[in-house]
Amino acid sequence: MNVLILTGAGISAESGIPTFRGPDGLWEGHRVEEVATPEAFARNPELVQKFYNLRRRNLLSPQIRPNAAHDSLAAFEQAHQGDFLLVTQNVDDLHKRAGSKKVIAMHGELLKARDMDTEEIFDWRDDLTSESVHPKIPGRLGRLRPHIVWFGEMPMGMEQIEAAAIKADVFIAIGTSGRVYPAAGIVELTPANCRRIEINLDETPASPRFNESHRGAATELVPQILQSLR
Ligand code: OAD
């Protein structure tokens, strides 16, 4: 059985990380689309860096931990015999902290920085500013950006994601609003006989494309549904 999982902000909500489009989905009066674009970064790099610096600090605070949904995905992967791939739109590292191994962070990772010119990627846990220095070249300032996919940029790992989608026997989308493409289109790449399962607190625009929609909290439903697949 080939299993493909897609997660979104809803899986980390119960760990204390706010979602994008819920009631907490605004940041200091900005829509996320207004800070998460290359144009926004060119116009006002401090604002964009501050947005991600605050989110990085929050992610690193001790109360933020993987929850039962992250944990059950890692346990399922470990026990599973067939192919397994976990694709996440989340830029937090909670799947990795829970012990998931085959993870594609299609929208990038908050705990990494990227040199805008050389494309080198570095682990990064501090604030990023216009003064941030390349870790290996002491005199090189201000060329680092968050390793995040902004609107208008190509998500990471699309070839691998598409290859997994076309041979999936089970596809589960967890805690995603189904509004941001190409992630929202992955369900349509799965074969006609694939069992397509949606787990979300609410109905989403993508719900009609699934065979089963389970309404409720990820921490309750994800362990239950994964258990039923074993
Ligand atoms: P959204 O914030 O758009 O949607 C979160 C979804 O999770 C909603 O459908 C909620 O109903 C659901 N949800 C919230 N809490 C839940 C819980 N405890 N259990 C189950 N479901 C819950 O987040 P995404 O769909 O991940 O991209 O957003 C997609 C992309 O938009 C993000 O990756 C980000 C953003 O712009 C980039 O930054 C490139």
Side-chain angles (χ1 to χ4, degrees):
M1 182 173 63
N2 298 333
V3 177
L4 175 62
I5 310 283
L6 173 68
T7 64
I11 198 168
S12 295
E14 293 166 82
S15 290
I17 299 178
T19 61
F20 292 93
R21 293 175 183 79
D24 298 325
L26 295 173
W27 178 77
E28 291 185 6
H30 301 279
R31 279 156 47 83
V32 76
E33 288 84 349
E34 287 167 11
V35 284
T37 65
E39 293 75 22
F41 187 65
R43 202 167 45 233
N44 193 343
E46 284 77 25
L47 176 79
V48 175
Q49 296 282 30
K50 187 177 164 205
F51 175 69
Y52 290 103
N53 288 341
L54 289 175
R55 294 181 61 206
R56 192 179 302 103
R57 285 186 199 178
N58 181 49
L59 177 59
L60 291 171
S61 62
Q63 71 271 21
I64 302 289
R65 287 186 300 272
N67 63 45
H70 300 102
D71 291 342
S72 63
L73 282 165
F76 181 86
E77 178 183 7
Q78 204 178 10
H80 185 62
Q81 300 295 331
D83 280 3
F84 177 91
L85 181 64
L86 170 49
V87 176
T88 186
Q89 297 167 86
N90 299 342
V91 298
D92 65 50
D93 63 340
L94 296 183
H95 286 304
K96 285 190 182 165
R97 277 198 236 172
S100 285
K101 299 278 182 270
K102 277 195 80 185
V103 183
I104 295 183
M106 68 182 294
H107 290 164
E109 294 173 66
L110 199 48
L111 300 184
K112 291 189 176 163
R114 181 161 88 227
D115 187 296
M116 284 180 259
D117 306 316
T118 66
E119 305 277 305
E120 292 162 283
I121 296 164
F122 307 102
D123 289 338
W124 202 272
R125 299 173 81 83
D126 302 323
D127 282 359
L128 269 175
T129 69
S130 56
E131 304 296 307
S132 293
V133 181
H134 186 289
K136 293 180 195 150
I137 310 175
R140 187 171 167 82
L141 299 185
R143 300 308 296 160
L144 295 176
R145 58 167 275 184
H147 182 50
I148 298 284
V149 176
W150 287 327
F151 284 89
E153 297 180 326
M154 183 59 80
M156 323 268 176
M158 283 313 296
E159 265 182 41
Q160 224 183 316
I161 295 169
E162 285 166 15
I166 60 175
K167 62 179 178 54
D169 300 307
V170 177
F171 173 66
I172 314 180
I174 305 164
T176 176
S177 62
R179 290 177 190 278
V180 174
Y181 283 81
I186 295 172
V187 61
E188 282 167 352
L189 301 176
T190 61
N193 61 354
C194 176
R195 186 173 163 200
R196 299 160 171 170
I197 304 173
E198 180 185 55
I199 300 175
N200 199 298
L201 281 181
D202 298 312
E203 194 172 333
T204 73
S207 298
R209 298 183 220 144
F210 288 82
N211 312 117
E212 299 167 34
S213 285
H214 299 262
R215 300 274 164 261
T219 52
E220 278 185 35
L221 292 181
V222 176
Q224 273 173 28
I225 289 165
L226 291 176
Q227 185 60 40
S228 74
L229 292 179
R230 286 196 188 201

